[in-house]
Amino acid sequence: CRLLWLGRRRVSRLAGVLPTVNMFVHRLSSRAAGAVRLWNGEPARRSTPAPTPELILFEYEASPWCRRVRETLGVLGLAALIKPCPRETLRAEGAFGATSRHRPEAAAAAAEAGASSRLSFPLLVDRTAGVTLSDSAAICEHLWSLYGGGVERPTLDQALNPRRRTLLDFPLLAAPSALRPWPEAGLMLAPSEPNQQPLLLYGCEADAGSRLVREALCCLQLEYRSQPRPLSAPLPALEDPNSGFAAFGARQALEHLDRTHRTGEALGWLAPLPSPNLGEARMHPVLARLLGR
């Protein structure tokens, strides 16, 4: 009996330590993800007040091309309404099912603008300028040309996000995702209770804690207003008008999202195509060959 009691005590202690270890690993890999981009995405110096266009960004955290747009929004200090569109499967691009909360709206916006019939991300709807764009390079060029006046663009951002694409673009943009490849790291959809009002996140693209909160918001498909802040500010800060929650720190924010909105775990890497599939999907040729299709 004493041995059984000691065993239970050790298991209990281990269960209490595991969440702390898990959080440490996530913070460490999140910091490394920021380091490989040399902490780009912090608001740059402005000689004039930042404009306030009405921007809606459909994206998902793990996408390299979405990362480029988020960094540009951060450097320009532009707030945007983020409508996360995590993936339901890795087997095909553009596939989504009935559980996808924002992809149908993104597909309708792209179709209305005459964009490609195959849904791709990022997708920016600029209601102030009256345009919808779906290519990351075109989106960044649009943002700089319309809202970059008075901004001293950092040399680092010019090097990491050049106007002309280079062979290094994708590896450098994908490196943070390679360091955080887990489905729950802003990649795959997780079931959740929808939010009636958008949440408000004060964060920075390069901040480790902000990244963890963005990943959770993405998987849970919770739309939120992103307000860029410098790395020197207390980050992240999350406000949830649906419940009255407001706090600084990633741990408190993640606990709130799990407790209030999450209803299940994220889909896995091997999740099948959704049925019915409501999107125009295209399977990668290599994956199609491996699956014998």
Side-chain angles (χ1 to χ4, degrees), residues 106-175:
E112 184 179 351
S116 172
S117 58
R118 185 178 298 114
L119 186 60
S120 63
F121 298 97
L123 179 73
L124 178 76
V125 178
D126 185 345
R127 289 184 173 173
T128 300
V131 298
T132 298
L133 302 166
S134 61
D135 177 80
S136 64
I139 291 173
C140 293
E141 181 67 24
H142 167 80
L143 293 173
W144 275 106
S145 61
L146 264 67
Y147 310 117
V151 178
E152 184 180 331
R153 188 175 185 184
T155 304
L156 174 62
D157 186 67
Q158 295 183 47
L160 290 176
N161 296 312
R163 294 188 173 182
R164 292 186 179 180
R165 289 183 175 177
T166 68
L167 293 176
L168 292 176
D169 279 1
F170 182 76
L172 291 175
L173 285 166

Side-chain angles (χ1 to χ4, degrees), residues 150-228:
V151 178
E152 184 180 331
R153 188 175 185 184
T155 304
L156 174 62
D157 186 67
Q158 295 183 47
L160 290 176
N161 296 312
R163 294 188 173 182
R164 292 186 179 180
R165 289 183 175 177
T166 68
L167 293 176
L168 292 176
D169 279 1
F170 182 76
L172 291 175
L173 285 166
S177 299
L179 289 167
R180 295 190 53 73
W182 305 288
E184 65 271 18
L187 176 61
M188 303 298 289
L189 181 150
S192 68
E193 293 290 341
N195 51 324
Q196 299 301 317
Q197 301 180 64
L199 283 70
L200 177 61
L201 176 64
Y202 295 93
C204 179
E205 177 65 25
D207 175 61
S210 300
R211 177 177 289 103
L212 297 179
V213 177
R214 290 197 311 268
E215 289 174 351
L217 290 167
C218 178
C219 288
L220 298 174
Q221 302 184 90
L222 299 176
E223 67 177 276
Y224 65 98
R225 182 162 294 280
S226 172
Q227 184 65 57

Side-chain angles (χ1 to χ4, degrees), residues 23-107:
M23 189 64 178
F24 172 78
V25 171
H26 279 298
R27 280 189 175 276
L28 186 63
S29 59
S30 185
R31 287 181 184 229
V36 296
R37 292 292 293 174
L38 300 178
W39 299 279
N40 190 42
E42 189 173 13
R45 293 180 180 179
R46 269 189 176 273
S47 60
T48 58
T52 56
E54 188 177 356
L55 304 174
I56 302 174
L57 179 64
F58 297 88
E59 59 99 44
Y60 64 97
E61 178 70 22
S63 164
W65 307 117
C66 296
R67 180 169 295 112
R68 166 185 276 173
V69 174
R70 291 197 310 270
E71 286 185 355
T72 298
L73 288 170
V75 171
L76 291 172
L78 297 175
L81 180 64
I82 309 296
K83 296 199 174 188
C85 300
R87 300 187 65 154
E88 293 181 65
T89 180
L90 298 180
R91 296 176 183 239
E93 292 287 344
F96 64 89
T99 56
S100 184
R101 197 169 295 155
H102 303 301
R103 284 189 176 232
E105 182 184 353

